[in-house]
Amino acid sequence: MTRPDPQSEAGQWLDRLLEARAAEAQAARDTALAADELRRYQKFARPGQPSAHIVQLRQKQAAARQASARSRQAFLKAAVEFVRSAGLTMPPKASLEVFVTAWIDTHVTKDAG
């Protein structure tokens, strides 16, 4: 199957899927960045009550983790709907995420997504 028409239901779900994939990648980068920053500052923190800066970094890390979880849920929802609307048949013993990611890598050009 080639890339579906953007006006079709499958095309609309593919657009949502690509947006969710980009959001998931961004959330993963944000989570890693927040964790690195927190590790850097906690290394030199004094024992006892954490500083306001450390508390802010922990809140930033928690927000990044929540964004990561939301983007993963959005990706999986869009993947389910895309596979259903496009009429794709999943191979046995393949996870939805692996199958859809491979399909995107094969059928969607890099500059289109």
Side-chain angles (χ1 to χ4, degrees), residues 15-98:
D15 289 341
R16 290 184 189 172
L17 184 62
L18 294 174
E19 290 171 8
R21 185 180 185 193
E24 193 173 21
Q26 181 63 45
R29 286 189 296 272
D30 291 347
T31 301
L33 183 65
D36 289 345
E37 195 174 2
L38 183 59
R39 261 192 302 276
R40 188 173 341 136
Y41 285 102
Q42 277 186 328
K43 187 186 323 182
F44 302 108
R46 293 187 176 135
Q49 186 78 16
S51 69
H53 186 64
I54 298 280
V55 171
Q56 288 176 342
L57 290 175
R58 287 179 183 163
Q59 290 171 343
K60 181 178 175 182
Q61 184 182 34
R65 284 183 180 168
Q66 286 179 340
S68 181
R70 280 192 304 273
S71 64
R72 179 158 174 76
Q73 286 176 333
F75 177 82
L76 292 174
K77 164 101 171 104
V80 166
E81 294 299 328
F82 172 70
V83 168
R84 181 195 56 77
S85 64
L88 299 176
T89 304
M90 296 235 341
K93 296 186 180 182
S95 74
L96 177 65
E97 184 176 9
V98 170

